[in-house]
Amino acid sequence: MQKSDILNRNFNSTKTRKAYSRIAWFYDLWGWLTESKAERKVLDLASIRDGEYVLEAAVGTGRLFEQIARYNPNGLTAGFDLTDAMLNRALRRFSRSNKQLYSLAISDAYQLPYSAESFDLLINNFMLDLLPENDYLHILAEFSRVLKPGGRLLISTMACGPRWYHRFWAWLAGTFPSLLTNCRPVNILNYLTEAGLQVTDSAFITQNTFPSRVAVAVK
């Protein structure tokens, strides 16, 4: 399979919803083993200021959403996910321990249900790497639309890396895509620039051999 074929597999929301519904029950374990280090880096680079309007795109089970809200007790923390099973877990987790102003909804990133220039900060973890690369500019335009001027965008994705074990993950993604729910390594930095966003920082992270990149951009 050619690299372009891997990066531009057609996105099917129904199949993706079903795939993530199947893995919702153990997704926190996967995240703890492979994504938690990147999530900590996202929180560090986000520099959340209490009182901000913050949006998390693709909240999953709400593990990071809960932490974002703790940094923002006097602001609004909003989020959405494509999958009911994931969002229900996020709702249960959040409602048990938090009283902050928050909003969680079913939606996707192709047409965000939010007004223009609504948010100071948008965070998106491990979502773009399962979508077709041909769709990135459209999605980044939607992210930019809902950010206020000067708003910050934090994105993490599965990444390419120099070590053999990084290349193993790329091989696994290309050979057995369903094992990773069609996630695969992508390079998001050029797309952020092409979308008119200013990249201000990025970090490459390895956790239990799994390679990730966190990127920071400003509108």
Side-chain angles (χ1 to χ4, degrees):
M1 181 179 291
Q2 298 296 315
K3 181 179 180 181
S4 60
D5 295 331
I6 296 172
L7 292 175
N8 288 307
R9 297 180 183 129
N10 291 331
F11 175 65
N12 183 300
S13 61
T14 300
K15 288 183 179 179
T16 301
R17 190 179 291 111
K18 289 180 178 178
Y20 278 87
S21 294
R22 287 194 298 269
I23 66 173
W25 66 277
F26 70 87
Y27 191 79
D28 280 348
L29 176 60
W30 165 261
W32 179 72
L33 290 172
T34 61
E35 299 175 359
S36 56
K37 189 175 178 180
E39 290 172 353
R40 290 194 295 272
K41 189 65 174 179
V42 164
L43 286 172
D44 178 51
L45 294 176
S47 300
I48 298 170
R49 297 183 285 271
D50 188 16
E52 291 192 306
Y53 278 52
V54 182
L55 173 65
E56 185 183 7
V59 300
T61 60
R63 189 176 62 251
L64 181 61
F65 187 84
E66 185 177 32
Q67 296 178 66
I68 294 168
R70 288 176 181 170
Y71 281 89
N72 192 34
N74 296 300
L76 170 67
T77 305
F80 67 87
D81 201 88
L82 180 68
T83 306
D84 295 60
M86 289 286 200
L87 195 70
N88 288 337
R89 287 177 177 268
L91 284 165
R92 289 196 297 270
R93 164 182 272 128
F94 195 77
S95 61
R96 280 197 303 265
S97 57
N98 294 274
K99 302 300 181 184
Q100 292 98 328
L101 183 61
Y102 73 97
S103 169
L104 284 167
I106 291 289
S107 188
D108 64 51
Y110 286 83
Q111 188 172 0
L112 299 180
Y114 307 103
S115 300
E117 300 184 0
S118 297
F119 295 98
D120 302 288
L121 170 65
L122 194 157
I123 293 175
N124 178 229
N125 278 324
F126 300 101
M127 182 199 78
L128 281 176
D129 47 19
L130 66 88
L131 300 179
E133 192 173 12
N134 288 337
D135 295 347
Y136 286 3
L137 289 180
H138 171 81
I139 292 167
L140 291 174
E142 273 292 277
F143 287 174
S144 181
R145 179 184 67 80
V146 301
L147 279 173
K148 298 176 182 179
R152 295 110 60 210
L153 174 63
L154 273 287
I155 290 183
S156 63
T157 66
M158 185 179 178
C160 297
R163 304 292 187 181
W164 67 266
Y165 45 81
H166 300 143
R167 293 192 291 272
F168 163 77
W169 286 102
W171 171 85
L172 185 66
T175 308
F176 302 104
S178 62
L179 292 179
L180 297 177
T181 59
N182 283 327
C183 292
R184 76 287 188 213
V186 299
N187 185 352
I188 194 61
L189 297 178
N190 290 338
Y191 283 98
L192 290 167
T193 301
E194 193 174 348
L197 298 159
Q198 179 185 358
V199 177
T200 59
D201 205 348
S202 73
F204 178 79
I205 295 165
T206 299
Q207 182 177 358
N208 292 323
T209 76
F210 186 82
S212 305
R213 180 165 296 279
V214 176
V216 186
V218 175
K219 179 177 176 179

